[in-house]
Amino acid sequence: MKKIIDDPATVVADSLAGLAAAHADLVRVEYEPNIVVRADSPARGVSVISGGGSGHEPLHVGFVGPGMLHGAVPGAVFTSPTPDAVQAAISATTGEAGALLVVKNYTGDVLNFETAAELASAEGLDVRTVVIDDDVAVADSTFTAGRRGVGGTVLLEKIAGAAAERGDDLDTVEAVARSVVERVRSIGVALTAPTVPHVGEPSFELGAGEVEFGIGIHGEPGRERIEVEPASALVERMVAAVADDFPLERGDDVLLFTNSMGGSPLLEVYLAHGIAERLLADRGVNVVRRLVGPYITSLEMQGISLTILRLDERLTELWDAPVKTPALRWGM
């Protein structure tokens, strides 16, 4: 294993120290338990909090800041944060307006965030959870009952955060978040496996000529293993999997998010994005908003994911709203 780390046991805390040094104007990091909150916490209105295992950066810690998250809770690599850490983030960011917890559909995440929400509610805070399950690859997986939460999480955090930023109440922020969950779908592929630092070896094996189609963000198995094929054929397979799951209709306006899983360079990611745009246009689907880059990763895994969000006027306005975080920013 070759990685730029000191000690696998402290890699998350060491990385958070670097995040704090680089973005002291935006975030504050607290340790034991590890949480990342806005520099100006607590929130004046509704607080939006998310989190999960580390190793997916910039998700979630890179999305803390005006227009997006108020707090993020990073667990150990590929490991859910504990309820006390989630509760610490709630306490640090949440006032009378309450909080919305954005939770990816993994068994540990759901259990621990819901436990923290119950503990906070017992203290008189109005805390609610929204679970995202946008992965169309499989019905159940290694760490989930039901579909996994993947790339749509980025879009959900941005849109829910924008609703909170403009002063919407908790009922409205929650309704907006649930609308995103209903309207977003994703699929991912892997060319190589990630290596978890404290494990020291790849999390699965892929032959030189194999692609894992429908990979999870922790290296969970997908739908099938296929032979390596040209980008046009692979992206066509991905677009069909997502578009047919809705199904998308001619005239739909969508946001297309083409993501690197960490190891695939932007040269390839932009190439794939261009193919996806053309294929959606051939279906009569209008790509009116775009996001391209490594925004939800799986350590150094080579691969990409595609996420499609069906937009309406309200969601488009919230996507366009200003945001200023370490990893995503425009309009400020």
Side-chain angles (χ1 to χ4, degrees):
M1 179 182 74
K2 291 191 289 187
K3 290 182 178 288
I4 303 171
I5 63 174
D6 286 327
D7 182 349
T10 62
V11 64
V12 173
D14 294 345
S15 179
L16 292 176
L19 176 77
H23 301 288
D25 58 323
L26 294 174
V27 302
R28 184 176 80 247
V29 175
E30 299 179 7
Y31 303 93
E32 296 183 359
N34 295 331
I35 63 171
V36 180
V37 300
R38 289 194 197 180
D40 61 352
S41 288
R44 298 182 183 87
V46 173
S47 173
V48 179
I49 301 165
S50 192
S54 297
H56 306 301
E57 290 76 14
L59 191 84
H60 303 269
V61 296
F63 298 138
V64 175
M68 209 159 175
L69 296 178
H70 295 82
V73 193
V77 175
F78 290 2
T79 304
S80 299
T82 57
D84 67 301
V86 180
Q87 195 175 14
I90 295 170
S91 297
T93 63
T94 305
E96 293 181 358
L100 182 74
L101 308 184
V102 173
V103 186
K104 303 188 303 299
N105 189 35
Y106 297 95
T107 302
D109 286 6
V110 173
L111 176 62
N112 292 343
F113 273 80
E114 288 187 346
T115 298
E118 291 171 2
L119 293 170
S121 297
E123 296 177 354
L125 294 174
D126 190 353
V127 178
R128 307 178 193 177
T129 60
V130 170
V131 177
I132 182 162
D133 56 354
D134 55 307
D135 190 352
V136 305
V138 293
D140 297 288
S141 187
T142 310
F143 305 114
T144 63
R147 292 180 169 185
R148 303 174 291 217
V150 288
T153 311
V154 178
L155 313 186
L156 173 56
E157 290 177 357
K158 168 62 180 77
I159 289 170
E165 193 73 28
R166 73 180 180 186
D168 290 358
D169 63 19
L170 185 55
D171 287 341
T172 304
V173 175
E174 181 184 13
V176 165
R178 295 195 184 282
S179 177
V180 173
V181 171
E182 292 171 0
R183 301 168 72 97
V184 68
R185 304 285 190 278
S186 300
I187 190 87
V189 299
L191 310 182
T192 63
T195 297
V196 176
H198 64 265
V199 175
E201 58 186 30
S203 59
F204 59 90
E205 293 184 4
L206 267 179
E210 291 182 320
V211 173
E212 186 76 25
F213 184 79
I215 193 72
I217 58 172
H218 309 95
E220 307 96 318
R223 283 187 182 178
E224 59 180 329
R225 287 200 174 176
I226 61 175
E227 293 183 358
V228 172
E229 58 189 4
S232 295
L234 181 62
V235 175
E236 184 173 13
R237 191 188 296 262
M238 297 174 73
V239 168
V242 176
D244 294 346
D245 192 84
F246 277 106
L248 288 178
E249 300 177 356
R250 298 187 70 85
D252 280 345
D253 291 339
V254 304
L255 186 161
L256 174 61
F257 169 30
T258 307
N259 174 67
S260 168
M261 300 297 285
S264 289
L266 283 173
L267 176 76
E268 298 174 17
V269 180
Y270 276 116
L271 185 153
H273 181 86
I275 296 169
E277 285 225 19
R278 173 176 56 78
L279 292 168
L280 288 170
D282 290 345
R283 289 172 173 259
V285 174
N286 307 313
V287 179
V288 297
R289 296 293 185 274
R290 301 152 179 90
L291 184 66
V292 181
Y295 291 105
I296 174 170
T297 63
S298 182
L299 295 169
E300 75 276 39
M301 180 193 289
Q302 286 181 270
I304 62 169
S305 63
L306 294 181
T307 298
I308 296 175
L309 171 64
R310 291 175 64 186
L311 291 168
D312 57 20
E313 185 175 341
R314 176 176 64 167
L315 297 183
T316 303
E317 178 183 351
L318 290 167
W319 178 257
D320 288 344
V323 60
K324 187 176 182 181
T325 71
L328 199 68
R329 58 179 70 191
W330 57 73
M332 284 192 180

